[in-house]
Amino acid sequence: SQTIHQWPATLVQPVGSPLSLECTVEGTSNPNLYWYRQAAGRGLQLLFYSVGIGQISSEVPQNLSASRPQDRQFILSSKKLLLSDSGFYLCAWSRRYEQYFGPGTRLTVT
Amino acid sequence: QQQVKQSPQSLIVQKGGISIINCAYENTAFDYFPWYQQFPGKGPALLIAIRPDVSEKKEGRFTISFNKSAKQFSLHIMDSQPGDSATYFCAAPRETGANNLFFGTGTRLTVIP
């Protein structure tokens, strides 16, 4: 069976600090991978998606970036966090149109 | 712009009642409509999905109804239970490919004991 992991589970970072969130998927190969952000009580905003190693598509221009160094690894990064970067970050993988989400990372920028 | 409109934003139902959440879409790449259930602090979980060859799909107490001509689909939760209290999202395939989904804005369901 497939499993998706995200870490850390929670993170508190000061404004201007760097960010690195990691997502890994087990039990499948060559999945499409996604990063979403969810503001408190809000919907899901697609940030990045990837159809293969090194292939990243950005949905929303911002100070975040994503990388896919391995087939089942997806990383979300920032060089300098903003207050507006606070939120619940979700990684997902898909098989056809069925997307499966990870447990999420709660990021608070102070 | 392609989007999915979901209503209501919030819903309060008595235990044992029927919860109904509606979604309307514009254009999709493919007729596949999933519903996700999200509990506080957790990632959304795929609850049920419908494909174009049927107009209704039932799994336990959860039923999706699909009206292709009206471009609408809905989730019905029969015999709603307090454990069903969660936020529900509908989704539809985007035309951008890569199996991307367009998500509705979510419905917060509260089932009162």
Side-chain angles (χ1 to χ4, degrees):
Chain A
S1 63
Q2 298 79 24
T3 309
I4 180 167
H5 304 278
Q6 284 186 248
W7 64 90
T10 60
L11 191 60
V12 180
Q13 293 283 93
V15 169
S17 64
L19 173 73
S20 181
L21 302 181
E22 189 165 344
C23 170
T24 59
V25 180
E26 297 177 354
T28 188
S29 59
N30 196 31
N32 284 358
L33 297 173
Y34 311 84
W35 277 112
Y36 290 87
R37 178 169 60 199
Q38 187 176 32
R42 304 295 295 275
L44 299 164
Q45 180 188 29
L46 179 63
L47 301 175
F48 301 94
Y49 64 92
S50 171
V51 299
I53 296 175
Q55 301 179 62
I56 308 295
S57 296
S58 174
E59 282 287 302
V60 181
Q62 54 205 331
N63 68 318
L64 299 173
S65 62
S67 62
R68 184 170 178 174
Q70 300 180 44
D71 181 45
R72 290 170 289 178
Q73 184 184 30
F74 206 21
I75 297 172
L76 183 69
S77 304
S78 175
K79 292 182 179 179
K80 291 186 178 181
L81 284 168
L82 306 173
L83 284 174
S84 58
D85 291 325
S86 293
F88 192 44
Y89 287 82
L90 291 156
C91 180
W93 71 276
S94 75
R95 176 173 55 206
R96 292 182 63 82
Y97 285 106
E98 297 173 345
Q99 289 193 17
Y100 300 92
F101 287 84
T105 295
R106 175 76 59 191
L107 172 65
T108 303
V109 182
T110 60
Chain B
Q1 182 179 1
Q2 184 186 15
Q3 58 181 336
V4 175
K5 295 182 179 179
Q6 182 173 348
S7 63
Q9 186 174 8
S10 63
L11 182 62
I12 299 175
V13 175
Q14 292 279 353
K15 177 182 176 182
I18 302 174
S19 303
I20 302 175
I21 305 171
N22 301 299
C23 281
Y25 64 96
E26 296 183 352
N27 299 308
T28 63
F30 180 76
D31 287 341
Y32 164 81
F33 302 99
W35 285 88
Y36 286 82
Q37 180 188 56
Q38 184 179 29
F39 293 104
K42 305 295 184 182
L46 180 61
L47 181 64
I48 186 173
I50 193 167
R51 297 188 183 277
D53 54 337
V54 296
S55 60
E56 185 176 283
K57 181 174 181 179
K58 183 177 181 179
E59 289 186 0
R61 296 183 294 108
F62 300 90
T63 300
I64 298 179
S65 297
F66 173 56
N67 185 331
K68 185 170 183 176
S69 60
K71 293 188 176 180
Q72 294 177 347
F73 57 107
S74 60
L75 175 68
H76 294 232
I77 306 175
M78 311 300 288
D79 187 25
S80 298
Q81 298 297 312
D84 297 331
S85 297
T87 299
Y88 293 82
F89 294 94
C90 62
R94 298 177 66 175
E95 295 178 305
T96 54
N99 299 343
N100 286 344
L101 295 173
F102 230 119
F103 285 87
T105 51
T107 297
R108 178 174 291 184
L109 171 65
T110 302
V111 181
I112 300 173

